[in-house]
Amino acid sequence: MDTLPPAVSGDAAAPLTAAQLRELYSLMVAVRHLDTSAVAWQRQGLIPGYAPELGQEAAQVGSGYAVDTTRDFVFPTYREMGVARTMGVDMVAYMSTHKATWHGGLYDPLESRLAPIQAVVAGSVLHAVGWAHGQTLAAATGDGKLGVALTYFGDGASSQGDVHEAMNFAAVMKAPVVFFVQNNGWAISVPTERQVAGGSVAARAAGYGIPALQIDGDDVVAVVEATRRAFAHARAGNGPVLIEAMTYRRGPHSTSDDPGRYRSLDEERDGAGEDPIERFRKRLLADGIADEAFFAGALAAAKGEEEEIRAGIQALGPRPGTEMFDLVFQETTPALQAQAANWREESEHV
């Protein structure tokens, strides 16, 4: 499915260079290694919980790679570690949420252009549309260049009412937002065909007058190209776009989930298809863009990065509870000021 007008010029139509293709592969390997390590960290007690993204590296790296961090803003769910890594977000600060050190992450959203991690299913789409509408209002007054919001949700979240509200408002107001659906085949334990009427999230976009793309979410190049096209369309003032990236969640929904309760290993193998990283590796080899030395170097770099991140997570200390007085309230009342002072005094004597 492709109802989006073609990009005829500019970066959206430019082919990826050999250097960019190698960078994409390195990012996918780094994300894969960090993702599998995070699951191990949870089993070892280093972090209390994590939402794996095994098999979704191409969808996340490809879409994150298209973001212009000088003006765009990304609104993630709890499963977009690969997007964050691709955008250059500090991974220790990102993983602080999974360690339950700080809600939403310790990174600076304004600087990184990545909103705090959203645990509410489909909650991020509303925030994205609100920010995007603000961009439209700012552009109307000639205040700065138009940024595009990129928001993520899954096939399960597409059934939430928040998605309807967000898509309807974005379409009516022509908000510059890209709805990126990672259809990984499962709404926790329920397969897509049992919870998405019609079987396609992209097909729903027509009801809102929104152009849509349904793409191979395991082909990182296809994901980059589709996301760039969507950004170009929204940035030109044409309103929102929906991308449905068809992929597969190879692991559990979270580290507290047992996928063996609702699918067999044979079903998992058949549904997952070829590994997106191995698939891209074969392509780079066949095209003479990379060799075995490059692949070995990418893996070594990923392992080194993981060791540094692990050490950083272990070094994270507890956050002082008094921070709520600094970050939650714009102006604290005398009673709250007294409560904060008492809390700080008690904390110093603990």
Side-chain angles (χ1 to χ4, degrees):
M1 176 183 294
D2 185 344
T3 62
L4 181 66
V8 295
S9 63
D11 292 340
L16 293 165
T17 66
Q20 289 174 319
L21 293 171
R22 288 191 291 269
E23 183 182 14
L24 286 168
Y25 180 86
S26 295
L27 285 166
M28 289 176 67
V29 171
V31 169
R32 168 68 62 85
H33 197 70
L34 182 55
D35 181 66
T36 54
S37 295
V39 175
W41 296 340
Q42 191 277 331
R43 305 303 190 219
Q44 296 162 7
L46 181 59
I47 57 177
Y50 179 70
E53 58 189 62
L54 184 66
Q56 298 179 220
E57 295 87 0
Q60 296 212 358
V61 170
S63 55
Y65 197 77
V67 176
D68 180 350
T69 55
T70 67
R71 53 180 165 173
D72 302 326
F73 219 103
V74 175
F75 295 81
T77 72
Y78 44 78
R79 203 187 301 277
E80 269 69 65
M81 183 273 290
V83 178
R85 172 62 184 83
T86 302
M87 293 174 61
V89 176
D90 180 273
M91 285 291 99
V92 174
Y94 177 89
M95 293 299 294
S96 66
T97 294
H98 297 292
K99 192 178 178 179
T101 304
W102 189 247
H103 179 69
L106 285 169
Y107 58 88
D108 183 345
L110 290 178
E111 181 181 351
S112 67
R113 311 304 288 176
L114 182 76
I117 297 169
Q118 175 61 261
V120 177
V121 176
S124 57
V125 296
L126 296 171
H127 301 161
V129 172
W131 183 88
H133 183 53
Q135 290 294 294
T136 303
L137 297 176
T141 62
D143 183 16
K145 50 190 177 182
L146 186 66
V148 176
L150 174 62
T151 182
Y152 291 87
F153 57 100
D155 48 300
S158 71
S159 298
Q160 295 281 5
D162 288 357
V163 173
H164 162 78
E165 295 174 13
M167 292 176 66
N168 184 66
F169 186 93
V172 170
M173 306 305 294
K174 285 196 171 183
V177 56
V178 175
F179 297 99
F180 195 94
V181 184
Q182 290 177 91
N183 188 337
N184 63 19
W186 294 91
I188 305 182
S189 60
V190 180
T192 302
E193 59 269 19
R194 285 179 52 195
Q195 73 90 32
V196 175
S200 169
V201 181
R204 296 177 176 176
Y208 304 93
I210 298 176
L213 299 169
Q214 187 181 73
I215 62 173
D216 182 351
D218 291 338
D219 180 346
V220 67
V221 174
V223 176
V224 173
E225 293 174 347
T227 311
R228 282 179 169 179
R229 284 181 60 197
F231 267 80
H233 179 88
R235 207 181 305 284
N238 298 315
V241 178
L242 185 144
I243 298 174
E244 183 178 21
M246 308 302 292
T247 181
Y248 195 87
R249 194 196 76 213
R250 292 170 178 260
H253 172 74
S254 70
T255 47
S256 62
D257 174 39
D258 177 13
R261 297 179 62 185
Y262 50 84
R263 71 187 186 198
S264 68
L265 286 176
D266 287 338
E267 290 172 331
E268 188 174 304
R269 293 190 192 99
D270 292 341
E274 187 175 12
D275 184 292
I277 296 181
E278 179 60 21
R279 174 178 169 180
F280 192 37
R281 178 182 178 278
K282 290 178 180 177
R283 177 174 178 175
L284 295 181
L285 273 174
D287 293 344
I289 293 173
D291 56 18
E292 293 297 343
F294 167 78
F295 299 131
L299 180 58
K303 290 181 178 179
E305 179 180 305
E306 181 270 336
E307 292 174 359
E308 292 180 1
I309 295 169
R310 179 190 176 93
I313 293 172
Q314 288 178 310
L316 285 173
R319 305 294 292 181
T322 53
E323 284 191 345
M324 68 174 290
F325 297 101
D326 302 322
L327 302 177
V328 174
F329 303 98
Q330 182 175 0
E331 295 181 6
T332 55
T333 64
L336 285 172
Q337 291 173 5
Q339 184 179 349
N342 290 335
W343 196 343
R344 289 188 176 95
E345 182 178 353
E346 292 174 3
S347 299
E348 291 173 357
H349 292 87
V350 173

